[in-house]
Amino acid sequence: MSGLLRLALTKGRLEAETRALLARAGADVSPLLTPGRRLVHPLPGAGVEAVLAKAPDVITYVEHGVCELGVVGKDTILEQGRSFYEVLDLGFGACRFALAVKRGDDFFGGYGHRRAATKYPRVAANYFAGKGLDVEIIKIEGSVELAPVLGLADAIVDIVETGATLRENGLETVEDICPVSARLIVNVAAMKMKRSAVQDFIALCRKGLEAKA
Ligand code: PRP
């Protein structure tokens, strides 16, 4: 045991942004710059060792307590979050969930059978249930914008960042559902048993956020 807390980082853009945040707070993030094939990276000055993982796995590791801390998008939390503390909105990875259709289509008009494609079936189901709409949900693994283009679905529920993917595929937003950004999450037991170390890391993240402001 290293005695360090373990931080699960979502690979890709959230990892890069977290690295920048911790560097601004004074931590040495150089091990993450040359990761090679190593999967665990102690970060001097941050009190943590980082592991890189896919977003849903970040939540699994934190829920099971093998990682006390995690950085993951609110989109993944809304889709599969169960039990952990969400302690800090890190601000980066900002985008939104939206309902989109082919330009000019009237999704809410009429009473016919409607289908929506999405990578986020739970988010979509909650959204439509909240509106009292009976919509068939079709799970897609990526490039969801194809579904209305190919005629598989009448609409999509997906993440929109710049809007370019919608635009370039002849789609438009009908309604924004909710904003999304990266969150710092904490294992429930660790929040009690390792409170002081967890609070130190939260403070470090706050320092990094303030350094940017
Ligand atoms: C995400 C999302 C949209 C796109 C939105 O896809 O699902 O397709 O980015 O970004 P924009 O509004 O800036 O165009 P991602 O790049 O993760 O790929 P995927 O669809 O294959 O999952």
Side-chain angles (χ1 to χ4, degrees):
M1 277 300 284
S2 63
L4 297 171
L5 296 182
R6 207 172 279 139
L7 168 70
L9 279 180
T10 301
K11 281 191 229 179
R13 188 170 156 203
L14 297 193
E15 182 231 325
E17 294 270 13
T18 305
R19 220 170 49 215
L21 177 88
L22 296 177
R24 282 198 304 275
D28 176 3
V29 295
S30 57
L32 285 172
L33 296 173
T34 50
R37 300 298 295 171
R38 275 187 65 116
L39 297 172
V40 181
H41 308 278
L43 302 183
V48 299
E49 55 185 16
V51 302
L52 303 181
K54 291 199 169 188
D57 295 341
V58 168
I59 288 183
T60 302
Y61 294 153
V62 171
E63 282 188 335
H64 284 265
V66 296
C67 294
E68 292 86 358
L69 303 156
V71 173
V72 67
K74 183 70 178 177
D75 53 333
T76 309
I77 293 176
L78 288 172
E79 184 58 27
Q80 72 161 58
R82 288 166 295 234
S83 52
F84 45 80
Y85 294 115
E86 187 184 315
V87 293
L88 210 51
D89 183 346
L90 298 171
F92 50 74
C95 50
R96 62 190 193 276
F97 271 120
L99 175 71
V101 296
K102 279 207 269 187
R103 205 170 291 131
D105 276 5
D106 180 11
F107 184 78
F108 293 120
Y111 297 94
H113 181 69
R114 278 170 289 210
R115 291 168 306 173
T118 186
K119 282 185 286 191
Y120 301 89
R122 180 167 155 188
V123 170
N126 287 341
Y127 168 65
F128 291 122
K131 290 188 154 303
L133 291 177
D134 184 19
V135 176
E136 181 190 346
I137 291 166
I138 301 174
K139 172 87 193 297
I140 294 287
E141 296 299 330
S143 300
V144 179
E145 292 83 358
L146 268 176
V149 173
L150 298 180
L152 177 68
D154 308 291
I156 61 171
V157 169
D158 198 19
I159 282 183
V160 178
E161 189 181 354
T162 62
T165 313
L166 291 183
R167 253 190 328 275
E168 291 181 24
N169 291 288
L171 307 180
E172 65 183 1
T173 299
V174 179
E175 191 165 88
D176 286 339
I177 298 175
C178 66
V180 166
S181 56
R183 307 297 157 103
L184 177 64
I185 63 173
V186 180
N187 170 265
V188 172
M191 192 62 127
K192 276 200 195 123
M193 311 296 289
K194 302 178 182 177
R195 187 166 190 87
S196 153
V198 166
Q199 293 296 354
D200 284 351
F201 187 76
I202 295 171
L204 190 77
C205 290
R206 287 215 164 92
K207 189 173 164 195
L209 289 174
E210 281 159 17
K212 193 179 187 186

